[in-house]
Amino acid sequence: MPLTFEINPELRLLFIRGYGIVTQVERLRAMLAWLHDPDYGCCDAALFDVSSAKTTPRIAELRELIAILKETPRGGPRRLAIVTSKPIAFGVAHVFGRLLRVSGVPLQVRVFMDAQSAWRWLRPDLLSSVSSR
């Protein structure tokens, strides 16, 4: 499966990874799975790494994902860091963040070209505690 997720309750983190060719059906299936995972509500952040994905969603597909998020009861991440490696994916991820904001979904999105920068934005408190050891 080219789209996987893992929830780490200790870190309150939803980690999603996309690689290869990811279809909209796979996006929807994975998203519905994490939305219904019992640990999803404890997450306050999500890291979505699509740096190894070969495909990017179309705007209509983004709107479909957002419609599902709007219908979902509140809870779950409030910050989403998206890691990309291609300029087109970077741009589409920015559009996704703007569409979320316009739709009223309370999810702050930032897009990064490397995972370390994304992690630093999501969990600055953890990085400072690790570096001070």
Side-chain angles (χ1 to χ4, degrees):
M1 178 188 259
L3 193 62
T4 61
F5 77 94
E6 178 182 339
I7 293 176
N8 185 319
E10 185 177 307
L11 294 176
R12 302 175 328 276
L13 180 75
L14 167 62
F15 177 66
I16 311 150
R17 174 169 287 159
Y19 53 93
I21 297 171
V22 182
T23 67
Q24 182 69 353
V25 169
E26 291 160 336
R27 282 184 209 99
L28 291 168
R29 187 175 296 139
M31 188 170 121
L32 290 171
W34 76 63
L35 288 172
H36 290 96
D37 189 293
D39 289 328
Y40 176 75
C42 79
C43 297
D44 62 11
L47 178 62
F48 189 9
D49 184 349
V50 290
S51 58
S52 296
K54 295 181 180 180
T55 55
T56 56
R58 297 184 321 250
I59 298 299
E61 293 171 331
L62 295 177
R63 291 183 192 281
E64 186 177 12
L65 297 171
I66 291 168
I68 292 170
L69 287 174
K70 285 178 71 169
E71 305 266 331
T72 303
R74 297 294 178 228
R78 293 290 167 244
R79 298 178 102 191
L80 170 63
I82 302 174
V83 180
T84 69
S85 61
K86 296 185 293 190
I88 186 68
F90 192 88
V92 169
H94 272 287
V95 169
F96 180 66
R98 288 195 175 114
L99 289 172
L100 279 169
R101 195 171 38 243
V102 168
S103 299
V105 175
L107 184 60
Q108 182 182 9
V109 177
R110 295 266 315 260
V111 186
F112 302 89
M113 293 297 279
D114 67 277
Q116 185 176 13
S117 296
W119 187 250
R120 201 174 10 245
W121 177 70
L122 282 177
R123 294 290 190 251
D125 52 325
L126 288 180
L127 285 177
S128 62
S129 67
V130 169
S131 63
S132 64
R133 290 183 187 170

